[in-house]
Amino acid sequence: MLASTSIVVFPSLMILAGVKDAMTYRIPNWLTLAVALLFWPFALLNAMPGEMLLWHAVTGLALLALGFGLFAAGLFGGGDAKLMAAAGFWFGWPAVIKFLVYTALAGGALGILIALWTAIHMDQEMRGHSWIQRWKSKKIDVPYGIAFAVGAVIAFPDSWWWKLMS
């Protein structure tokens, strides 16, 4: 029963984060905190082995460092960095690799779609300006929480949590 709850809670929270980011371009701290903190009771109550628990913790902390590096470089928002780290706790090593790959693919597709949408609307707003001026005048924001949600949902069946159900 508890194992089946854990495979619903994490994806649901990630989907909620994606929806919130799509609607507001913000991922609430309470939601990211819930993703990170709920990992611990679920891991302990599902008897995750100690060494595996350690690797999950290391993975989450490593993603936090990576995320803040990407934030410092201006490539990520702060909420994105924190959500990626929180999800890292749930995936652990090496399952986090699939999560990151699927997230990157979803983020790339999302970025292309938003760029195309923005280009169409810029064309309507800025007729007569050169294409260089149009692209320079508009910063394209991508609500990457959507990509994290897609990556999490697709990668989660390969995680330790899903194997508990077998």
Side-chain angles (χ1 to χ4, degrees), residues 25 112-131 133-135 137-140:
Y25 282 88
I112 289 169
L113 289 172
I114 289 174
L116 289 172
W117 180 262
T118 302
I120 290 167
H121 287 288
M122 277 194 307
D123 187 52
Q124 294 170 356
E125 293 173 9
M126 300 185 72
R127 294 202 188 275
H129 293 90
S130 75
W131 66 272
Q133 289 173 318
R134 284 185 270 170
W135 281 106
S137 70
K138 202 78 157 169
K139 182 181 183 286
I140 299 173

Side-chain angles (χ1 to χ4, degrees), residues 32-95:
T32 302
L33 198 56
V35 172
L37 292 180
L38 284 174
F39 162 77
W40 299 99
F42 276 103
L44 295 172
L45 292 171
N46 280 297
M48 181 180 278
E51 184 177 344
M52 183 177 286
L53 186 66
L54 177 65
W55 279 110
H56 279 250
V58 167
T59 301
L61 294 173
L63 287 183
L64 184 62
L66 173 65
F68 279 112
L70 292 169
F71 171 72
L75 299 172
F76 252 23
D80 299 328
K82 292 180 282 188
L83 185 62
M84 179 175 69
F89 287 117
W90 285 85
F91 282 103
W93 182 260

Side-chain angles (χ1 to χ4, degrees), residues 8-20 31 35 83-84 86-87 90-91 99 103 145-153:
V8 171
V9 168
F10 172 69
S12 297
L13 290 172
M14 292 299 288
I15 291 167
L16 181 58
V19 169
K20 288 279 197 183
L31 186 52
V35 172
L83 185 62
M84 179 175 69
W90 285 85
F91 282 103
F99 164 67
T103 297
I146 297 169
F148 285 124
V150 170
V153 168

